[in-house]
C-alpha cells in the first residue's frame, strides 16, 4: 500500500515550560518526534512530511538526523489541526495513496496499529484511531452508528450526552491523500476554539456519503505528552515496555527497573545485564555478553563473549569484537578493540585500534587530542602496553611490541620491540635514612622554637 506520513509538530507545548519545542523533548534518548517518525517509517512511506512551527529550525534538524529525506513544512501560525495538515498539501500534490496523520507529541502509536489503519483505509474512505479512555477528559469523542463513524465532537463543543462517550480520538487519521486535502478545504473555524479542526472532516465525509470508521488501540499507545509530568510518565512507560520485551527475548536483567534503555537498543539472547546500566542511543549488544553494574553505553557495538564493566563507559564508535574485556573506569571512544583484547582498568582509549589479544595495562591513555586535532593510535595484535603508558598520537605500536610502564610513547614502535621512555632509575644507598633524619631534626627544631 502506498502511504505518506504527515506528522504534526508545530505546537509550542506551553505546559512543558521549556525553551525546547515540545516534540524535541527526549524519551529513551530520542526526541519524541523521532519515535513518531520511526513508527510511521515501518510502513515504508513514500514521503514523510513534518509540519513544524515553534522552533522549526531545531525540529528540522532533529527530523533530518533521523531521516534526511523527511520534508519539513512550516506552519507559521497554529490555527488548528486541519490547518496544520493543510501545510503538507503542496508537498503531497503528486502523491497518490493513503496519507497518515500522526502527532509528534504522541510517540507510542505502534507499527501494528498503523498497519491495521492502512488495511482499514483500503475498505473505507476515512479511518480514525480511537481508544477507550479510562478518563476521557478533554479528548474529542467519536460518534459511532454501528460500525460507521459519523463525526467527531471536540470536548469544548460537546453536550453532556456526547461528553459521556468514552471512545476518544487519538488524532491519528488515515485517508486518501487527495480526498484528505479536499475535505480540509471545506473545514471552517466556527467552533468553541475558533480553530480549524481536522476532526471536522469526518462529518464532512459522511455528508458526501463517504464511509468512515474507527480502528481502536490500547490507551497506552495514544499517550500524549503535554507536561513534564507526562514526559516522565511516557519515559517510565517506554522503559517498562522495553525491559519486558528484553526479558521475553531471553536477556537477563538482574534488576530490570534500574536498567535504562534507548529507543533503538538491541541486546542479544543470553546476555546478562547487571543493575544500574544505562544504554544511550545506537547500542547493539550481541548474545552471551556480560555487562556489569554501573556501565554506560552509547553508539557502540559489543560482540559475543565480551565482558564490560563494572563502571565502564563505551562512547560513540566503540566497537568491541568477540571475547574482549573492558573493565572498571575504562572509557572507550571511536575505537576498535579487536578479538580477545583486554583493557581492564582505569584507561582512556580514543580514536584507536587495539589489536587482537593485546593487553592494555592499567592507567594507559591514548593522548589523542593536541588541543586542535584528533589523532589515531594503532596498537598491534598481541602488543603489551605497560601500566601508565601515555600513547601520544599519532603513533603506531607494532604487533607483539611492549611498552614499559610509565612510558610516554611519542614515536612508532617496531613489531616485537620493547619501547622504554622514562627517566632512568637512580639509586643512592642509605639516602632514605639520611633524608628522614634531616627532616625529623628540622621538625624538632621548629617545635622548640614555637
Ligand atoms: C486533538 C484533537 C482531539 C483529540 C486530541 C488527542 C482536533 C481538533 N482535536 O485535540 O479530538 O482527542 O488531539 O490528543 O484535532 N498542532 C499543530 N498545529 C496546529 C494545532 C495543533 O501542529 O495548528 C499539533 C500540536 O502540536 C499537537 C497536535 O497537533 O501535536 C494536536 O494538537 P492539540 O492542540 O494538542 O489538539 P488537542 O486540543 O489536544
Ligand atoms: Ca494535545
Amino acid at each position: 500500500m502506498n502511504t505518506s506520513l504527515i506528522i504534526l509538530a508545530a505546537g509550542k507545548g506551553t505546559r512543558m515550560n521549556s525553551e525546547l519545542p515540545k516534540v524535541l523533548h527526549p524519551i529513551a534518548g530520542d526526541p519524541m518526534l523521532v519515535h513518531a517518525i520511526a513508527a510511521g517509517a515501518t510502513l515504508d512511506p513514500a514521503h514523510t512530511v513534518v509540519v513544524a512551527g515553534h522552533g522549526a529550525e531545531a525540529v528540522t534538524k532533529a527530523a533530518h538526523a533521523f531521516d534526511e529525506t523527511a520534508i519539513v513544512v512550516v506552519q507559521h501560525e497554529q490555527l488548528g489541526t486541519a490547518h496544520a495538515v493543510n501545510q503538507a498539501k503542496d508537498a503531497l500534490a503528486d502523491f497518490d495513496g493513503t496519507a497518515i496523520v500522526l502527532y509528534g507529541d504522541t510517540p507510542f502509536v505502534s507499527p501494528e496499529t498503523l498497519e491495521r489503519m492502512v488495511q482499514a483505509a483500503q475498505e473505507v474512505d476515512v479511518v480514525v484511531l480511537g481508544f477507550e479512555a479510562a478518563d476521557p477528559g478533554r479528548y474529542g469523542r467519536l460518534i459511532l452508528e454501528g460500525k460507521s463513524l459519523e463525526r467527531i465532537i471536540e470536548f469544548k463543543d460537546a453536550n453532556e450526552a456526547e461528553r459521556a462517550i468514552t471512545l476518544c480520538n487519538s488524532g491519528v487519521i488515515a485517508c486518501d491523500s487527495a480526498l484528505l486535502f479536499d475535505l480540509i478545504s471545506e473545514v471552517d473555524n466556527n467552533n468553541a476554539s475558533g480553530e480549524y479542526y481536522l476532526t471536522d472532516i469526518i462529518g464532512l465525509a459522511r455528508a458526501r456519503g463517504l464511509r468512515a470508521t474507527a480502528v481502536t488501540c490500547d490507551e497506552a499507545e495514544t499517550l500524549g505528552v503535554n507536561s513534564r509530568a507526562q514526559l516522565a510518565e511516557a519515559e517510565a512507560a517506554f522503559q517498562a515496555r522495553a525491559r519486558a520485551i528484553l526479558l521475553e527475548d531471553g536477556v537477563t536483567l538482574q534488576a530490570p527497573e534500574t536498567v535504562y534503555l534507548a529507543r533503538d537498543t538491541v541486546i542479544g539472547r543470553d546476555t546478562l545485564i547487571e543493575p544500574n546500566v544505562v544504554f544511550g542511543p545506537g547500542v547493539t549488544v550481541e548474545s552471551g555478553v556480560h555487562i556489569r553494574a554501573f556501565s554506560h553505553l552509547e553508539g557502540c557495538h559489543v560482540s559475543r563473549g565480551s565482558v564490560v564493566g563494572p563502571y565502564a563507559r563505551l562512547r560513540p564508535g566503540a566497537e568491541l569484537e568477540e571475547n574482549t574485556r573492558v573493565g572498571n573506569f575504562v572509557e572507550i571512544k571511536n575505537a576498535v578493540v579487536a578479538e580477545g583484547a583486554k583493557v581492564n582498568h582505569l584507561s582512556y582509549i580514543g580514536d584507536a585500534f587495539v589489536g587482537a589479544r593485546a593487553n592494555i595495562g592499567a592507567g594507559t591513555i591514548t593522548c589523542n587530542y593536541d588541543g586542535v586535532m584528533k589523532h589515531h593510535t594503532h596498537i598491534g595484535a598481541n602488543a603489551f602496553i605497560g601500566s601508565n603508558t601515555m600513547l601520544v598520537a599519532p603513533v603506531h605500536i607494532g604487533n607483539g611490541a611492549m611498552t614499559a610502564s610509565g612510558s610516554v610513547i611519542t614515536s612508532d614502535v617496531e613489531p616485537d620491540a620493547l619501547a622504554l621512555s622514562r627517566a632512568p632509575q637512580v639509586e643512592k644507598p642509605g639516602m632514605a635514612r639520611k633524608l628522614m633524619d634531616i627532616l625529623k631534626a628540622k621538625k624538632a627544631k621548629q617545635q622548640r622554637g614555637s
Side-chain angles (χ1 to χ4, degrees):
M1 193 57 199
N2 205 12
T3 59
S4 281
L5 307 175
I6 302 170
I7 302 177
L8 305 191
K12 182 162 189 280
T14 310
R15 285 167 58 203
M16 295 300 284
N17 188 12
S18 175
E19 292 293 317
L20 196 65
K22 175 162 77 172
V23 295
L24 298 189
H25 283 268
I27 295 172
D30 271 321
M32 55 178 123
L33 172 66
V34 165
H35 289 257
I37 300 177
T42 59
L43 297 172
D44 194 17
H47 305 283
T48 296
V49 185
V50 175
V51 181
H54 287 278
E57 215 172 294
V59 169
T60 304
K61 218 173 140 193
H64 285 162
F66 179 76
D67 175 3
E68 56 188 14
T69 69
I71 302 164
V72 181
V73 296
V74 179
Q75 183 194 27
H76 293 284
E77 268 184 299
Q78 278 70 64
L79 303 179
T81 46
H83 181 261
V85 170
N86 206 46
Q87 307 310 306
K89 187 175 177 175
D90 289 345
L92 296 181
D94 296 328
F95 169 68
D96 184 13
T98 304
I100 318 268
V101 178
L102 298 172
Y103 290 176
D105 63 358
T106 306
F108 298 147
V109 177
S110 72
E112 297 71 33
T113 295
L114 294 178
E115 186 57 44
R116 281 193 293 129
M117 292 194 65
V118 170
Q119 292 308 322
Q122 288 180 294
E123 310 293 323
V124 301
D125 300 292
V126 189
V127 181
V128 172
L129 182 62
F131 63 101
E132 278 296 337
D135 170 16
R138 304 184 63 81
Y139 287 116
R141 307 296 208 265
L142 303 190
I143 314 285
L144 286 171
E145 271 177 28
K147 284 208 180 289
S148 172
L149 178 62
E150 293 300 303
R151 59 198 171 90
I152 302 178
I153 183 86
E154 287 305 295
F155 175 82
K156 275 191 189 173
D157 303 289
N159 61 35
E160 218 157 294
E162 290 162 340
R163 287 181 179 185
I165 293 170
T166 53
L167 183 62
C168 293
N169 175 30
S170 70
V172 181
I173 286 183
C175 177
D176 173 79
S177 183
L179 174 63
L180 175 67
F181 294 112
D182 186 29
L183 290 168
I184 285 175
S185 71
E186 284 183 43
V187 171
D188 63 31
N189 64 351
N190 299 325
N191 53 52
S193 307
E195 287 185 8
Y196 294 89
Y197 291 161
L198 181 62
T199 44
D200 282 356
I201 68 168
I202 310 304
L204 291 166
R206 291 296 296 136
R208 292 188 193 182
L210 298 172
R211 292 160 305 168
T213 192
V215 159
T216 56
C217 71
D218 195 272
E219 184 166 10
E221 290 188 36
T222 68
L223 180 75
V225 175
N226 297 299
S227 64
R228 304 268 183 170
Q230 285 173 341
L231 182 68
E233 273 173 45
E235 180 75 46
F238 177 92
Q239 294 299 338
R241 217 167 27 237
R243 291 166 189 145
I245 290 169
L246 285 183
L247 295 171
E248 189 72 24
D249 287 350
V251 176
T252 295
L253 306 178
Q254 288 180 330
E257 65 288 354
T258 69
V259 174
Y260 287 83
L261 302 158
R263 184 186 62 80
D264 58 357
T265 304
V266 176
I267 303 180
R269 209 158 82 107
D270 289 323
T271 279
L272 188 158
I273 314 282
E274 291 186 7
N276 295 297
V277 174
V278 175
F279 293 89
V283 177
T284 53
V285 177
E286 293 185 4
S287 297
V289 168
H290 186 169
I291 310 283
R292 305 196 61 197
F294 295 100
S295 293
H296 189 284
L297 296 81
E298 71 185 304
C300 64
H301 174 239
V302 181
S303 305
R304 66 184 64 232
S306 294
V307 181
V308 173
Y311 298 99
R313 181 168 183 209
L314 301 184
R315 290 176 53 205
E319 165 75 37
L320 272 47
E321 293 185 358
E322 293 184 13
N323 301 314
T324 55
R325 297 283 178 276
V326 171
N328 44 282
F329 304 105
V330 170
E331 174 179 342
I332 311 248
K333 184 215 78 172
N334 188 33
V336 173
V337 179
E339 195 228 312
K342 294 179 185 157
V343 193
N344 270 331
H345 340 262
L346 298 157
S347 291
Y348 172 64
I349 303 295
D351 302 307
F353 176 85
V354 177
R357 297 168 305 281
N359 191 316
I360 309 298
T364 295
I365 307 283
T366 54
C367 309
N368 60 328
Y369 187 49
D370 57 17
V372 181
M373 286 182 294
K374 301 275 175 70
H375 301 284
H376 192 260
T377 298
H378 178 97
I379 299 169
N382 299 305
F384 184 95
I385 305 300
S387 295
N388 195 32
T389 296
M390 301 294 116
L391 297 161
V392 181
V395 71
H396 189 287
I397 311 294
N399 293 348
M402 285 177 95
T403 67
S405 297
S407 291
V408 178
I409 302 295
T410 53
S411 34
D412 293 354
V413 179
E414 288 294 312
D416 299 319
L418 166 68
L420 225 152
S421 147
R422 59 188 186 202
Q425 188 166 319
V426 181
E427 189 165 323
K428 311 221 168 179
M431 193 60 196
R433 168 88 52 85
K434 273 185 213 162
L435 187 58
M436 274 300 167
D437 289 346
I438 291 167
L439 292 172
K440 281 178 187 161
K442 214 175 190 177
K443 189 175 178 189
K445 195 176 166 193
Q446 272 176 2
Q447 281 170 343
R448 275 198 307 274
S450 64

